[in-house]
Amino acid sequence: MKLVILAAGKGTRLQPLTETRPKPLLPILGEPLLCRHLRLFANRISPDEVIIVASYMKDVISKAITKCAGNLNFKISFVDQGEERGTGDAIRVAMEFGGPDKYLIVYGDLFLSERAYDVISSMRPYTVLTAKAKEPWNYGVVKISEGKLTGVVEKPPKEEVKSDLVYSGALSVDYDFIEYLRRIRPSPRGEFEVTDAINVLASKNDVNTVSIDVDDWLDVGRPWDYLLANRRALRELKGQIVKGEIHSTAVIEGPVYIGEGSEVGPYTVIEGPVYIGDNVKVGPSTHIRPETVLLESSKAGYAVELKGSVLMEYARAPHFNYVGDSVIGEDVNLGAGTITANLRFDHNSIKMSVKDQLVDTGLQKLGAIMGGHSQTGINVSLMPGVKVGSYAIIYPGCVVRRDVKSREVFRC
């Protein structure tokens, strides 16, 4: 059996986070999504080969996987999809590379629970993974009769959706599935959709379905999904694991992980669940509230409060900052007094721009999403749902009410 992981998309809906890294390498508690897949599948299955289909930043993906898979007993091959023409095309490319065999196919941008890995690892041809979804119209809505799949409707109009059960990004097939993939035609979006091949397959064969719960999977497709994925991963923390140095006056409560070389300074309070990676500086007099993640070599300095946020590698909130329900990209520097507002004045749910469309996140609290290497001057205020592009600069004292483009110099 061969395991195929699809990792070729540009992740445009996730921008600005994907302006500086491919979406399958977005870190979950410091571990790239792709590495998480490999590690947790290694505990459950022994494929003859793992085929990773890449395109966007493929060299970055290759280097990351070589690093994280060093101790795994897998043969790993990389296949370049070339032009990104949809999931059906990506799977076809992988199967043509791998040759005759059974295939377990998983989308690389999914966050999955431990239970989901158990279910997927038990799948045999022909089986499709299904799950309930809160927004089923954004996925392929499945039709089932007597336990067998009868069809998938790809991203139907919201008003036509009659079920919350969707195809959730994993399937098990035999090699003859490649013939169905070769016959499909581009969708109205110009992509070769694997669901079209699944529909033809279901009309000629019995296709089984297995189901996981709505909390067992998450499509990490939009910036706030990345926040939610880390929060789900924080639920897996058990107890306190402290490898760094903690000042005697610091207070640590609940499940907390603190990595090697990290320092927690005087009069700091950390309320778990919290993940702090290696070589992180926290304090003095810092408040780290629940559901916060600080990745390698980041900093939360004097009189800083972080809540429900991710500070990526080398990000710095040095002093007098409040960061709530936000993602602060790698190597970002927040000027003194920079804060993120995370609650609308009218308390309505927060909207965010995704591919030039304003989308209701369904979240009452959501702060800013800052791309890598951007920076703010002193006393900057970022309004709820604002995105700041990579390498952008925001001048001191500005109140930012709109998205800031990549490399833009924002003056007020």
Side-chain angles (χ1 to χ4, degrees), residues 163-174:
S163 170
D164 61 355
L165 196 65
V166 302
Y167 164 58
S168 50
L171 66 156
S172 176
V173 298
D174 282 321

Side-chain angles (χ1 to χ4, degrees), residues 272-397:
V274 164
Y275 175 92
I276 298 174
D278 296 342
N279 303 310
V280 175
K281 307 294 184 184
V282 180
S285 302
T286 302
H287 188 186
I288 309 297
R289 292 169 59 189
E291 299 185 325
T292 295
V293 174
L294 291 91
L295 298 184
E296 179 184 359
S297 300
S298 59
K299 179 179 181 179
Y302 177 72
V304 167
E305 181 177 359
L306 306 180
K307 176 258 180 184
S309 297
V310 177
L311 263 65
M312 289 187 166
E313 307 91 341
Y314 296 92
R316 300 172 297 281
H319 27 225
F320 301 107
N321 306 113
Y322 172 73
V323 180
D325 303 282
S326 300
V327 180
I328 308 301
E330 71 275 15
D331 193 39
V332 167
N333 188 75
L334 301 181
T338 290
I339 63 169
T340 65
N342 61 343
L343 179 68
R344 283 173 56 108
F345 202 63
D346 59 10
H347 290 207
N348 287 335
S349 60
I350 294 166
K351 296 179 174 62
M352 181 173 284
S353 174
V354 178
K355 295 183 70 174
D356 298 323
Q357 291 187 340
L358 201 59
V359 177
D360 190 339
T361 68
L363 300 174
Q364 192 176 30
K365 289 189 176 183
L366 179 63
I369 308 294
M370 295 189 67
H373 314 285
S374 56
Q375 61 176 307
T376 68
I378 63 170
N379 297 327
V380 168
S381 297
L382 301 170
M383 292 297 101
V386 161
K387 296 193 297 184
V388 177
S390 57
Y391 297 96
I393 297 173
I394 300 175
Y395 266 46

Side-chain angles (χ1 to χ4, degrees), residues 96-233:
E96 288 180 344
F97 175 87
D101 206 335
K102 299 183 185 301
Y103 285 82
L104 181 62
I105 300 157
V106 181
Y107 292 16
D109 56 358
L110 297 177
F111 176 84
L112 300 169
S113 70
E114 294 270 357
R115 177 179 176 273
Y117 286 103
D118 291 339
V119 171
I120 294 170
S121 297
S122 68
M123 290 168 55
R124 299 294 180 268
Y126 280 103
T127 305
V128 169
L129 182 71
T130 66
K132 290 185 177 181
K134 294 179 180 178
E135 300 175 343
W137 50 88
N138 286 327
Y139 306 97
V141 178
V142 300
K143 298 178 181 179
I144 297 175
S145 177
E146 298 180 353
K148 305 296 182 182
L149 183 77
T150 60
V152 184
V153 181
E154 185 69 24
K155 297 184 178 178
K158 183 176 180 179
E159 62 274 9
E160 296 179 9
V161 173
K162 298 180 180 179
S163 170
D164 61 355
L165 196 65
V166 302
Y167 164 58
S168 50
L171 66 156
S172 176
V173 298
D174 282 321
Y175 186 69
D176 59 1
F177 186 61
I178 196 171
E179 296 303 323
Y180 298 98
L181 294 170
R182 287 169 174 165
R183 294 172 190 165
I184 59 177
R185 295 291 178 264
S187 69
R189 298 190 300 159
E191 296 186 351
F192 292 87
E193 308 279 6
V194 69
T195 48
D196 289 341
I198 292 173
N199 283 333
V200 179
L201 174 70
S203 70
K204 299 178 181 296
N205 300 271
D206 285 344
V207 178
N208 297 312
T209 62
V210 292
S211 186
I212 54 178
D213 193 68
V214 65
D215 291 328
D216 287 323
W217 78 295
L218 181 64
D219 172 19
V220 185
R222 301 163 302 188
W224 60 92
D225 295 322
Y226 175 65
L227 262 184
L228 296 177
N230 275 279
R231 291 176 184 177
R232 291 193 186 184

